[in-house]
Amino acid sequence: MKYKSQKVAYWFFALSMLLIVLQITYGFIMGFAHMGFDGLHNIIPFNAARATHNNLLVVWLLSGFMGAAYYIIPEEAQQELVSVKLAYVQLITLALVGVTAVIGFHFNWWEGRKFLEIPRELDFLVVINVITFLGIILATLFKGKKQSTTAMVLTMGLVFAALLYLPGMIWFDNQGMDSFFRWWVVHLWVEGVWELIMGGILAFLLIKLTGVDREVIEKWLYVIVGLTFLSGILGTGHHYYYIGAPEYWLIIGGIFSALEPLAFLGMALFAIHMYRKGGRNHPNKTALFWTLGSAIVSFVGAGLLGLAHTLPQVNMYTHGTLVTAMHGHLAFWGAYGMIVFAMISYALPQLTGRKLYNTVTGLYGFWLSLIGMVGMTTAFGVAGVAQVYLERRIGLDFMVAQQEIEVHFLVLVLCATIFATGITMFIIDFVRYGQPNDEALIGEDEVNSLENA
Amino acid sequence: MLSKKQAKAFFLGGTVLFSAIFLALSVETVTSSMPEKTNDSQITEAVVRGKEIWDSNNCMGCHTILGEGAYYAPELTRVYSRKGESYIKTVLMAKEPWAPRGRKMVAYALSEEEANDAVAFFKWINEMDLNGFPPEPDPALSK
């Protein structure tokens, strides 16, 4: 690492690792409940497990994005973070708010709005926390020697993500309106501004790992995030088909959702092309695997599997079924989980000075988690299609159909075990790296020579 | 060949243009079409209290409504016409977990008044125009 303050990133990554373990644990509780084993019902009913699973996902990804920003922005702006102390305060408060929310879920303290279950009182603390984070990032960026495109796109994504949280805090008496604005947060995050964050991190990693000229990478970054907004903003319409919104959203949502995979295809082709074009043989192959993997898997999970059920004629039957869970799992993992893992894989050797490149655990961590997640996605897909047919087409009672598809949750839990094994291996490597230290500080020349080694 | 400046113009121009279209359509939706299709004028105080019960107990954490939720328990958009008022009240007022075919629901043990509010909420949802959702099953397939 070049700047001492980049060490803050490590602790955000560590928080991410802790929270993903908890998230997976609650995923298992839900998987077993779907199979009929709900022995924990009295202390952790399904809705508590579900809210915990979803919100931990959001918080560990945000913690990963924040860690990435604390690592990338000083390096891009050529400037130490303006306040390391404040960054640590922000980390601790983020963790405290997250933990309080999760505990609250177990005591019926929440807002029953999917992905935005955090109670209103805590929402205000989240806002203060995020303003603190953005204050540090923006002050560092504009105090720095330069404002690169990569840093600007990443920062723009973070600022918009914060702004878009606000519509989710408005109360509506009308359930349809409530849903309409809830998607301003959820959809415009994951199929909009979070892609700016992903694009910014991806561009940074490609510049570092492939050695391709920054100008070339950043030019294509603009094209990709342009495609993302071109398709993603009006693509929000696919959430408006059946919630009481007018019929024109069927046409608009259908057309622009069909374009959404283009942005992800662009992302995948961009990453692969830059890798092939790059002359740099960076020793950190694990980081390269995660980087290219993220670009490719996001195309399959978010792009193709999204398209699989966003046409209105299809969505009429799949809306509100496990088909959505199929798409959701691979999309979140590919686009956001894997890019956070890519960033961590790249940053750890730089932060700690330990060059544990390409370990067996690191390699197995990548492949097992990927294979496990693809298996889980397949299990959700089979269960979802069967549910659509039995419940929506034939008209079987909900629970009759659920019992017919229970067996697919056995496959899901088995694949989740493979996934969890992969994550465990990644975390073993994380621990082996140890904590960041000042001995890892190196100058620009040394960075270049290492990267060109 | 595309320059970086042109790429930036494509990104910024496209973002502004499509955001503007999205905002214009959103304004139309929430001020005109949606209130009409969702019978906004028929939202009574009882419906609002019912929604508060729905939200504060995170019912969406198991059920789905308007097709949104958690896929663990039944879709409730048309539950009022499918199951009727007395069935809904019985489930919500039950002091032991309701467990159709073994899958347990939290025993909310609502009071009569609260159950009435929840029913008012479901009745209002039941009347919404949802562009054909949920779809009717095909009787020929079940034979």
Side-chain angles (χ1 to χ4, degrees):
Chain A
M1 67 184 160
K2 293 183 204 165
Y3 298 91
K4 210 172 172 177
S5 56
Q6 284 177 295
K7 285 192 296 183
V8 178
Y10 175 88
W11 298 103
F12 280 85
F13 296 148
L15 178 63
S16 279
M17 294 298 101
L18 188 68
L19 297 183
I20 193 180
V21 170
L22 268 178
Q23 192 214 353
I24 293 170
T25 308
Y26 278 80
F28 274 108
I29 292 172
M30 292 159 71
F32 279 112
H34 266 284
M35 286 159 64
F37 302 109
D38 62 349
L40 293 173
H41 173 82
N42 289 336
I43 44 171
I44 310 174
F46 190 87
N47 56 354
R50 163 81 179 202
T52 307
H53 185 71
N54 279 9
N55 283 270
L56 283 175
L57 166 72
V58 175
V59 181
W60 84 254
L61 288 178
L62 285 179
S63 182
F65 292 161
M66 287 169 174
Y70 281 135
Y71 186 89
I72 293 172
I73 296 297
E75 204 156 308
E76 288 287 298
Q78 298 171 11
Q79 160 75 39
E80 292 281 3
L81 289 173
V82 290
S83 173
V84 175
K85 265 188 194 165
L86 206 54
Y88 279 116
V89 170
Q90 191 248 320
L91 168 75
I92 292 163
T93 50
L94 176 73
L96 285 177
V97 170
V99 169
T100 309
V102 165
I103 292 172
F105 294 159
H106 294 72
F107 294 94
N108 212 27
W109 188 43
W110 44 25
E111 282 181 21
R113 301 157 72 234
K114 190 175 168 186
F115 282 112
L116 304 179
E117 287 91 345
I118 291 181
R120 189 54 48 96
E121 296 83 348
L122 292 182
D123 275 343
F124 292 107
L125 294 179
V126 171
V127 169
I128 295 169
N129 189 275
V130 171
I131 288 173
T132 310
F133 163 71
L134 288 176
I136 298 168
I137 292 298
L138 288 169
T140 305
L141 183 59
F142 289 102
K143 199 179 166 191
K145 291 192 184 81
K146 63 168 189 170
Q147 288 87 41
S148 69
T149 300
T150 300
M152 292 301 277
V153 168
L154 173 62
T155 307
M156 198 171 158
L158 294 164
V159 170
F160 280 139
L163 288 176
L164 282 168
Y165 191 69
L166 303 178
M169 291 171 66
I170 307 169
W171 167 268
F172 291 96
D173 291 341
N174 185 320
Q175 180 72 24
M177 298 271 193
D178 193 307
S179 187
F180 188 89
F181 284 102
R182 196 169 51 81
W183 289 116
W184 277 36
V185 188
V186 181
H187 174 91
L188 290 176
W189 263 11
V190 300
E191 285 163 82
V193 297
W194 278 24
E195 283 184 56
L196 293 192
I197 300 171
M198 183 207 176
I201 299 174
L202 185 65
F204 175 82
L205 289 171
L206 287 174
I207 290 166
K208 297 291 172 187
L209 295 171
T210 68
V212 173
D213 183 51
R214 172 183 287 275
E215 287 298 298
V216 175
I217 287 185
E218 291 184 340
K219 176 179 81 177
W220 290 108
L221 175 63
Y222 272 135
V223 173
I224 287 159
V225 292
L227 280 173
T228 297
F229 277 172
L230 186 150
S231 57
I233 295 172
L234 288 174
T236 315
H238 64 238
H239 296 290
Y240 297 162
Y241 295 159
Y242 310 118
I243 61 165
E247 282 179 334
Y248 55 70
W249 286 111
L250 298 177
I251 300 165
I252 294 165
I255 292 171
F256 285 90
S257 298
L259 295 175
E260 279 188 48
L262 280 182
F264 287 104
L265 178 64
M267 195 94 79
L269 293 176
F270 164 67
I272 294 166
H273 185 66
M274 292 305 138
Y275 164 64
R276 290 170 65 95
K277 190 180 160 94
R280 183 176 287 167
N281 187 19
H282 197 285
N284 192 345
K285 298 288 177 241
T286 313
L288 191 67
F289 269 46
W290 283 107
T291 305
L292 295 179
S294 173
I296 294 165
V297 177
S298 64
F299 167 59
V300 179
L304 290 182
L305 293 184
L307 180 64
H309 70 129
T310 49
L311 288 176
Q313 298 88 337
V314 177
N315 196 251
M316 165 73 85
Y317 290 93
T318 58
H319 182 49
T321 67
L322 290 159
V323 170
T324 311
M326 163 198 76
H327 159 58
H329 276 76
L330 199 63
F332 268 109
W333 179 241
Y336 304 119
M338 289 179 80
I339 200 71
V340 167
F341 275 51
M343 190 64 220
I344 295 173
S345 298
Y346 172 76
L348 278 181
Q350 313 286 340
L351 289 165
T352 62
R354 299 188 73 189
K355 311 294 179 200
L356 301 176
Y357 297 136
N358 317 323
T359 59
V360 174
T361 39
L363 203 65
Y364 274 103
F366 172 82
W367 285 113
L368 288 179
S369 58
L370 181 58
I371 291 166
M373 184 52 84
V374 169
M376 286 162 68
T377 304
T378 309
F380 270 125
V382 176
V385 171
Q387 182 192 3
V388 166
Y389 191 76
L390 295 172
E391 194 189 326
R392 298 276 167 89
R393 295 288 289 145
I394 293 184
L396 289 187
D397 175 73
F398 177 86
M399 270 314 298
V400 176
Q402 288 290 307
Q403 287 185 322
E404 290 293 324
I405 62 175
E406 260 178 13
V407 65
H408 301 301
F409 284 88
L410 174 63
V411 179
L412 180 86
V413 166
L414 288 174
C415 293
T417 308
I418 298 171
F419 176 76
T421 308
I423 299 299
T424 306
M425 290 194 165
F426 187 90
I427 293 173
I428 288 171
D429 258 16
F430 189 98
V431 173
R432 283 174 59 208
Y433 267 104
Q435 293 181 15
N437 60 75
D438 291 344
E439 285 171 24
L441 277 169
I442 46 174
E444 183 79 32
D445 294 343
E446 210 176 337
V447 171
N448 290 336
S449 68
L450 265 174
E451 285 174 352
N452 288 316
Chain B
M1 188 62 183
L2 185 78
S3 69
K4 189 175 175 183
K5 206 174 166 185
Q6 288 168 325
K8 187 178 180 180
F10 166 72
F11 163 58
L12 293 176
T15 302
V16 171
L17 174 67
F18 287 99
S19 297
I21 297 172
F22 179 70
L23 283 173
L25 291 172
S26 294
V27 169
E28 196 287 327
T29 298
V30 297
T31 57
S32 176
S33 302
M34 207 166 188
E36 195 183 318
K37 286 174 79 88
T38 57
N39 307 311
D40 195 69
S41 59
Q42 291 171 33
I43 298 178
T44 60
E45 286 181 10
V47 173
V48 175
R49 287 196 299 271
K51 183 176 183 289
E52 280 169 4
I53 291 170
W54 172 265
D55 276 347
S56 62
N57 291 299
N58 191 19
C59 303
M60 213 189 239
C62 294
H63 291 277
T64 50
I65 199 160
L66 309 181
E68 295 177 348
Y71 335 120
Y72 185 69
E75 159 65 47
L76 298 180
T77 304
R78 301 288 187 237
V79 70
Y80 182 82
S81 53
R82 194 172 69 240
K83 293 289 188 183
E85 186 171 336
S86 61
Y87 180 92
I88 298 170
K89 284 175 69 173
T90 307
V91 173
L92 293 175
M93 292 168 70
K95 291 187 170 53
E96 292 298 318
W98 195 260
R101 292 182 175 261
R103 186 169 289 183
K104 291 192 199 91
M105 176 175 160
V106 174
Y108 288 105
L110 297 188
S111 67
E112 177 97 33
E113 293 75 24
E114 289 171 325
N116 285 335
D117 291 339
V119 167
F121 173 69
F122 288 126
K123 189 178 177 189
W124 170 71
I125 290 271
N126 192 60
E127 303 304 320
M128 278 184 167
D129 173 1
L130 299 173
N131 298 334
F133 182 82
E136 286 296 321
D138 185 348
L141 288 172
S142 56
K143 283 177 188 168

